[in-house]
Amino acid sequence: MEEQKKTKKIKWWIPVIVGMSWVVVMAGCCFIIYSRKAYELQQNVYFLEWDTKEDETIFYKYSSKDEGAVEVGKVEGQMNHCVINDEESCITGLCYDQGVKRVQYDLITGTVYSEVIGEKIDLLTGDVTWYALLMYDEGNKIVISYEEANGDEKWLFYDFTSEEYNMIEGQGSTTEFLEIDDNNLWYVSSAGRLYRYNFESGRKTEMLKNIGNAAVAVNTNLVAYIKDSMHPKKIYWYNLNTKKTRFIAKGGWNICYGNIFEKKGQWSNDGRKFFYVKYFPTFFSAADVSLMVYNTENGRTFCIYKEKNTLHQFRYIGHSG
């Protein structure tokens, strides 16, 4: 009798155990799929190569998982201030061929969409010089620094999707916009100082001085910068939390680095890796070009792409440009 009761209890638990096992397996599969998707979106590195002879921009994707770079598309002309969206399905940038154009390249279909934006901006600002600009919000928005006829600096925020805009007073001879989030705009002044402007308070805070150009990782408060833009021999890494400075890369008489502001330097989404371009000058203005990655967690550097004796230009593509 006791054995029958035990058998019944065991039979009753079997479907429960099987059901729980199935739930665990399904949850595990979902986790793996989700993690793989998140891993791919966070680990892929995009960069471009401008072929000066053919006048075309070639897009590449490097996967740390596959450890290789592959071509994923190309467009006519030289692309600038490029941005990739969160889904990594579209690259948006500006082309200055016959007026300022906003160009979008669909990485899935290979189609290209372009619109002339210079005329739209001129209607708001007048025919003025743009001193600094930044593409953000997946390339759907732009902020531009310009000077009015009376010499006052203005910042224009423009939404390409809704065509809504906002103008505010500039904060002092802006030369570079670096990053923008919900509350803050990071920029560099002509005096070589890094500022953080808060939209809610309308105040700016000096974060760093004596820099030539820089790149900011807003989520980790790390700043990569070059002191001398004319002689970019060293790239520094400054921690805004600890106030400590370290080297990312040291050059020499035969090695230099690209202007970080032109997105030849770019932080990863998690703010723990810094991508930069290293040059070894050769003859007739050509150079051996290496695209490098520096890992702040272990201090290691490795090359993801290299081209020898080239006149082509290379830039990393991030989520703001």
Side-chain angles (χ1 to χ4, degrees):
M1 193 71 179
E2 289 293 330
E3 292 182 358
Q4 290 180 352
K5 289 182 179 180
K6 290 181 181 180
T7 304
K8 288 182 180 180
K9 289 182 179 180
I10 293 173
K11 290 182 178 179
W12 184 83
W13 274 102
I14 289 175
V16 175
I17 295 172
V18 172
M20 291 178 65
S21 301
W22 178 252
V23 171
V24 171
V25 171
M26 290 299 294
C29 291
C30 292
F31 176 78
I32 292 171
I33 293 172
Y34 175 82
S35 300
R36 182 178 179 182
K37 182 178 181 182
Y39 174 86
E40 290 175 349
L41 290 177
Q42 292 174 8
Q43 298 301 319
N44 292 332
V45 180
Y46 290 84
F47 62 92
L48 64 82
E49 175 183 9
W50 178 50
D51 187 331
T52 56
K53 184 177 180 180
E54 299 295 331
D55 190 24
E56 64 181 10
T57 298
I58 307 168
F59 299 119
Y60 294 90
K61 179 180 75 172
Y62 170 85
S63 171
S64 58
K65 181 180 178 182
D66 301 327
E67 296 184 351
V70 294
E71 181 181 325
V72 292
K74 62 178 63 176
V75 297
E76 294 183 0
Q78 182 182 8
M79 292 284 284
N80 301 272
H81 304 282
C82 286
V83 180
I84 188 164
N85 63 350
D86 291 336
E87 290 76 22
E88 297 182 359
S89 61
C90 181
I91 294 176
T92 304
L94 299 182
C95 183
Y96 298 105
D97 182 25
Q98 298 179 351
V100 184
K101 296 179 181 177
R102 174 173 171 260
V103 179
Q104 293 183 300
Y105 181 81
D106 191 311
L107 290 166
I108 298 176
T109 64
T111 57
V112 180
Y113 168 80
S114 67
E115 63 171 334
V116 178
I117 66 168
E119 297 175 355
K120 293 181 179 181
I121 303 299
D122 288 345
L123 289 174
L124 302 174
T125 63
D127 188 11
V128 296
T129 301
W130 302 355
Y131 289 104
L133 67 87
L134 179 73
M135 300 280 287
Y136 66 102
D137 190 27
E138 301 188 336
N140 294 316
K141 296 179 182 178
I142 190 172
V143 55
I144 297 171
S145 168
Y146 68 97
E147 192 175 273
E148 294 186 315
N150 60 5
D152 293 339
E153 182 188 13
K154 292 284 188 180
W155 288 352
L156 168 68
F157 298 83
Y158 187 83
D159 189 320
F160 294 108
T161 304
S162 65
E163 297 189 347
E164 295 179 352
Y165 66 92
N166 184 32
M167 291 182 181
I168 66 174
E169 296 293 331
Q171 298 298 310
S173 302
T174 307
T175 57
E176 304 170 3
F177 289 122
L178 304 182
E179 291 291 341
I180 187 171
D181 55 32
D182 294 335
N183 298 313
N184 300 299
L185 172 62
W186 298 73
Y187 69 98
V188 175
S189 71
S190 58
R193 301 192 175 192
L194 172 66
Y195 290 98
R196 183 181 64 194
Y197 175 81
N198 185 271
F199 293 111
E200 293 181 357
S201 65
R203 296 179 180 177
K204 66 178 182 180
T205 304
E206 182 180 297
M207 310 303 292
L208 196 59
K209 57 184 178 181
N210 300 325
I211 63 175
N213 52 80
V216 176
V218 296
N219 51 347
T220 53
N221 275 334
L222 298 179
V223 181
Y225 68 96
I226 291 175
K227 288 185 177 181
D228 187 353
S229 299
M230 299 300 294
H231 303 89
K233 295 291 186 179
K234 295 179 181 180
I235 302 179
Y236 298 85
W237 158 30
Y238 180 73
N239 190 317
L240 293 168
N241 296 326
T242 63
K243 312 300 180 184
K244 293 183 179 180
T245 302
R246 296 177 61 178
F247 281 114
I248 286 180
K250 298 180 182 180
W253 69 269
N254 58 345
I255 295 178
C256 58
Y257 304 99
N259 187 315
I260 295 176
F261 164 63
E262 294 179 345
K263 295 304 175 187
K264 294 176 182 175
Q266 176 74 42
W267 285 99
S268 60
N269 286 349
D270 60 11
R272 293 178 178 146
K273 295 183 180 66
F274 183 70
F275 313 113
Y276 62 96
V277 182
K278 181 173 71 174
Y279 295 88
F280 183 95
T282 54
F283 298 102
F284 308 110
S285 299
D288 294 343
V289 181
S290 301
L291 276 72
M292 311 296 295
V293 180
Y294 176 82
N295 190 328
T296 61
E297 295 183 323
N298 56 29
R300 295 180 180 177
T301 302
F302 61 94
C303 177
I304 65 172
Y305 186 84
K306 186 173 183 178
E307 196 162 316
K308 292 188 175 182
N309 198 33
T310 180
L311 293 171
H312 296 180
Q313 296 184 19
F314 297 83
R315 292 183 178 88
Y316 281 99
I317 303 173
H319 290 267
S320 64

